[in-house]
Amino acid sequence: MKSKHDVLIIGGGPVGLSCAYYLLKSGRKVTLLDAKEIGKGSGSGNAGHIVPSHIIPLAAPGVVTSALKWMLDPAHSPFGMKVSLDPNYLMWLLRFTLACSQDNVTRSLEPLNQLGQLSAKNFAQIIAEEKFDCAYQEKGLLHLFKTEKAFHEGQHEGEFMQKHGIPVSVYDKTKVHEVEPAALDDVIGGVHFTGDAHLNPAVFLNLLKERVRAMGAEMLENTSVTGFESAGGKVRVVRTGKGAFEAEQVILAAGALTPSVAKDLKLNIPIQPARGYSLTMSANKTMPSHALILGERRIAVSPMGDVLRFTGRLEVGNYSMEPNPVWIQRIENSAREYLRLDEKQDVKETWAGLRPTAKNGVPIIGKSPKHENLFLATGHAMLGLSLAPGTGLVVSQLLNGQQPAFSLSPMRLERFG
Ligand SMILES: Cc1cc2nc3c(=O)[nH]c(=O)nc-3n(C[C@H](O)[C@H](O)[C@H](O)COP(=O)(O)OP(=O)(O)OC[C@H]3O[C@@H](n4cnc5c(N)ncnc54)[C@H](O)[C@@H]3O)c2cc1C
């Protein structure tokens, strides 16, 4: 027997939960399904950076060359990739490489900027209105550098962002130590994206989950979507391990697993997982006072009240969510190259998550080209938390037949042809 629903959301990560929140606010009835526990997947152990400054997509000029260079120094490389002859994977690699162009950057800048600004505003609003206590801090994101070359490149990137309205401050050696006393003496400069923020993502997602439940959402955990039945240009049935569902409208927000969940829908959704790791420890005696990026090592640092988190590594093509102890140790070693840390760490959690990465590094948001009641909200890569409240709002507007404040066409699936 099929149960009939208004809006059915597949995937309870930051994106699915945010869609649920805004749809409930607009008066819709929501059912949220997750194969595992809602709010506990790839969104929970991440760095918690809310970064409207990230307006350059992952697929940008120079990315492939840098990735190849990094791989020559395997003990420190922030990048890795699976070796596989899977044709989907090889095609994605090829398409991603081709997308690393100035054209892709030019096309993506404005939509990422608009979605990023909307999302940052929505985070501040949700946290204030709902009184969420989640270590949220609007102190910007400070990039630290130890070498002149990397500092110079960081300043160059900062100037580029500034031209697109992103607030940036550049600090010399004296100033950077004044601003961030946890930095070791050989840090020579910093670039501070002062409009960014950070929070504890697991706490935020749990609070959002409880709020969404209190607003009336039906939430089904450990309920894996196994297939769909479509007819007449509509999704008619969503099949799960716990029975079949019918819904007026369906949102597919299953992160890196979206392509396999969608296999019956005959949509080509070009997403690969990009795995990364985090290490969370008790607060240190000297806590960094900002969210940081350790420039040359590409490690993210997040002080979250009573805990301190380091995250890093981007491994394309790996679906396993097992943290790799070798990389966890390397991430800690890299952090020690920049920061005053306690000699012995009280490790609270090691974690791995998947960044759902579309082949041009830009999210996929919009109505399915083949189904008038199916909407896609996925492919946010390294920005799935940061862009979630903006995505949730625009997706709820689309479902309600309203026009979002900016064009979503650069994010529609059809852009891939
Ligand atoms: C190391 C690391 C650091 C990061 N740091 C940041 C950061 O600082 N800021 C930021 O913005 N982003 C960051 N990210 C990226 C961010 O975590 C992801 O972009 C985000 O989790 C994607 O959200 P999502 O809701 O699209 O997908 P997910 O979080 O992956 O959620 C998808 C959900 O779908 C469910 N699902 C899958 N298959 C099915 C099925 N068949 N049936 C039902 N449910 C299913 C899953 O169980 C999961 O709960 C980081 C990622 C990593 C790995």
Side-chain angles (χ1 to χ4, degrees):
M1 182 122 132
K2 298 174 196 111
S3 45
K4 180 97 183 180
H5 298 257
D6 180 14
V7 182
L8 188 79
I9 304 177
I10 302 166
V15 172
L17 271 170
S18 300
C19 292
Y21 178 77
Y22 283 102
L23 280 159
L24 288 159
K25 275 194 110 161
S26 76
R28 301 294 298 266
K29 291 202 171 64
V30 168
T31 306
L32 184 54
L33 299 184
D34 200 291
K36 295 184 181 160
E37 220 182 316
I38 292 172
K40 285 280 165 62
S42 290
S44 61
N46 72 26
H49 292 182
I50 298 164
V51 281
S53 65
H54 272 47
I55 57 173
I56 301 181
L58 195 56
V63 166
V64 173
T65 321
S66 301
L68 292 174
K69 268 196 220 149
W70 283 325
M71 286 168 77
L72 298 175
D73 179 11
H76 292 113
S77 175
F79 174 77
M81 57 195 273
K82 184 178 78 168
V83 178
S84 161
L85 292 177
D86 168 12
N88 283 336
Y89 172 63
L90 292 177
M91 189 51 84
W92 184 96
L93 285 178
L94 176 67
R95 293 273 164 75
F96 182 86
T97 306
L98 294 174
C100 288
S101 66
Q102 192 52 45
D103 261 8
N104 188 43
V105 173
T106 309
R107 266 197 309 271
S108 313
L109 269 174
E110 217 28 55
L112 286 177
N113 201 350
Q114 283 166 319
L115 190 59
Q117 299 297 336
L118 173 68
S119 224
K121 193 178 103 209
N122 288 1
F123 261 115
Q125 202 173 8
I126 296 175
I127 288 164
E129 270 177 21
E130 307 294 352
K131 301 192 175 44
F132 283 178
D133 182 5
C134 54
Y136 175 68
Q137 300 234 8
E138 290 179 353
K139 293 175 87 175
L141 179 68
L142 176 59
H143 292 232
L144 298 180
F145 299 100
K146 296 179 65 161
T147 60
E148 289 293 349
K149 182 171 176 287
F151 186 29
H152 179 75
E153 285 166 8
Q155 289 178 72
H156 185 69
E157 193 176 280
E159 281 162 20
F160 179 83
M161 309 289 209
Q162 225 162 9
K163 285 193 192 128
H164 293 276
I166 305 296
V168 184
S169 298
V170 174
Y171 303 143
D172 64 11
K173 184 164 183 176
T174 310
K175 181 73 182 172
V176 81
H177 287 277
E178 202 180 296
V179 170
E180 186 46 81
L184 287 174
D185 294 345
D186 57 352
V187 168
I188 61 157
V191 177
H192 194 178
F193 295 92
T194 52
D196 292 351
H198 73 282
L199 48 64
N200 184 322
V203 175
F204 173 79
L205 292 176
N206 197 42
L207 289 166
L208 189 59
K209 173 181 172 181
E210 291 315 318
R211 183 70 193 111
V212 160
R213 195 198 302 278
M215 288 164 90
E218 189 178 343
M219 298 167 103
L220 299 168
E221 302 188 315
N222 303 312
T223 305
S224 187
V225 170
T226 52
F228 298 87
E229 286 166 30
S230 311
K234 279 187 162 191
V235 170
R236 301 289 174 180
V237 176
V238 178
R239 284 197 302 271
T240 78
K242 293 190 178 164
F245 294 77
E246 285 179 356
E248 290 297 326
Q249 290 170 311
V250 178
I251 300 174
L252 188 47
L257 294 176
T258 302
S260 58
V261 179
K263 61 185 182 312
D264 288 351
L265 295 168
K266 304 204 168 32
L267 294 173
N268 179 14
I269 303 176
I271 286 179
Q272 281 289 323
R275 182 171 61 193
Y277 304 108
S278 75
L279 164 67
T280 307
M281 51 198 53
S282 297
N284 276 223
K285 284 200 272 309
T286 314
M287 278 290 265
S289 46
H290 295 84
L292 304 170
I293 297 289
L294 308 179
E296 293 81 353
R297 297 284 185 230
R298 310 276 164 140
I299 301 292
V301 181
S302 315
M304 300 171 173
D306 56 354
V307 292
L308 175 61
R309 176 170 295 165
F310 303 120
T311 59
R313 212 47 193 162
L314 189 148
E315 298 172 347
V316 181
N318 285 299
Y319 284 93
S320 148
M321 287 173 71
E322 273 303 302
N324 174 338
V326 172
W327 277 107
I328 297 283
Q329 185 59 54
R330 285 174 177 169
I331 288 171
E332 181 183 337
N333 296 347
S334 295
R336 288 186 181 282
E337 294 174 10
Y338 291 76
L339 297 172
R340 279 172 233 291
L341 296 175
D342 295 352
E343 212 165 293
K344 193 160 166 21
Q345 296 294 341
D346 171 26
V347 174
K348 296 277 187 201
E349 184 191 22
T350 60
W351 174 92
L354 308 178
R355 304 171 183 93
T357 307
K359 69 185 179 194
N360 74 340
V362 177
I364 300 170
I365 302 173
K367 194 190 271 191
S368 155
K370 292 188 178 159
H371 312 85
E372 66 181 73
N373 65 340
L374 174 71
F375 295 79
L376 304 169
T378 185
H380 292 68
M382 44 213 298
L383 300 174
L385 177 77
S386 190
L387 299 179
T391 302
L393 178 60
V394 297
V395 168
S396 84
Q397 290 169 332
L398 291 178
L399 263 77
N400 287 324
Q402 296 155 352
Q403 195 64 37
F406 50 90
S407 164
L408 295 177
S409 39
M411 300 195 185
R412 295 198 63 178
L413 184 63
E414 290 92 317
R415 72 181 187 265
F416 297 123

